[in-house]
Amino acid sequence: MDSHTYPVTRTDAEWRARLTPEQYAVMRNHGTERPGSCALLHEKRAGTFSCAGCDQPLFESKLKFESGTGWPSFNDPVPGSVETTVDRSYGMVRTECHCARCGSHLGHVFEDGPPPTGLRYCINGVALKFEPAA
C-alpha cells in the first residue's frame, strides 16, 4: 500500500479477519480476480455497490454498464469515494482506483467508456458489496 493515511485503517491481522483470502489478495495486495468469476458482474437491480473493506458507497447501479471485459464496469463513482494513482506494474502504465476511505485496491479506470464520461471504472467484483435499493 502507499504511504497515504486513510480515515479507516486496520492492522494486517484485522484485514485478514475481515476479508476472504481472495478479497485480501485483490484489495490489500493489488491482485485481480479472474474475469467473469464474480456474481456481481451480472447484478442488474437498482442499488449501491460499496467497498467490501469499509462499507463506503462507491458506485450506483444506474452507472453500471456491460463492458464485455468480465469485470463490473461503471461510468463514474459516487463523488469523493474513489481516488486514483499511477500503476506501473506489469510493464504498463494504468490508472489504479482505490477506496478513498480505506485505501483498498478496487481496479483500474480507462478512457474507453461510453458517454457521458467516456470512462470505464473496471472493478474487481470481490472488492464490492451490493445493497439493493429499498
Side-chain angles (χ1 to χ4, degrees):
M1 300 305 304
D2 59 38
S3 60
H4 180 73
T5 302
Y6 295 94
V8 172
T9 58
R10 294 186 170 88
T11 65
D12 188 63
E14 289 170 332
W15 281 118
R16 288 181 185 277
R18 180 176 178 91
L19 303 172
T20 67
E22 184 180 19
Q23 287 174 319
Y24 183 87
V26 168
M27 298 175 73
R28 306 312 299 168
N29 288 327
H30 300 261
T32 301
E33 69 189 2
R34 282 186 306 103
S37 65
C38 181
L40 291 182
L41 175 63
H42 306 291
E43 180 58 66
K44 299 194 184 321
R45 295 175 291 171
T48 302
F49 294 85
S50 299
C51 176
C54 71
D55 302 322
Q56 161 112 319
L58 299 171
F59 300 96
E60 296 296 329
S61 61
K62 66 185 175 192
L63 295 177
K64 184 175 186 273
F65 65 94
E66 178 52 57
S67 65
T69 62
W71 291 279
S73 296
F74 303 86
N75 284 105
D76 219 8
V78 170
S81 68
V82 174
E83 294 178 347
T84 60
T85 55
V86 175
D87 175 1
R88 290 187 167 84
S89 62
Y90 304 107
M92 298 180 271
V93 177
R94 300 178 291 173
T95 302
E96 176 200 356
C97 53
H98 54 272
C99 176
R101 185 185 286 167
C102 71
S104 291
H105 171 77
L106 302 172
H108 293 86
V109 60
F110 302 95
E111 295 180 352
D112 61 0
T117 66
L119 298 175
R120 174 175 54 94
Y121 284 82
C122 188
I123 306 299
N124 289 286
V126 298
L128 300 172
K129 295 189 322 188
F130 180 72
E131 180 68 32

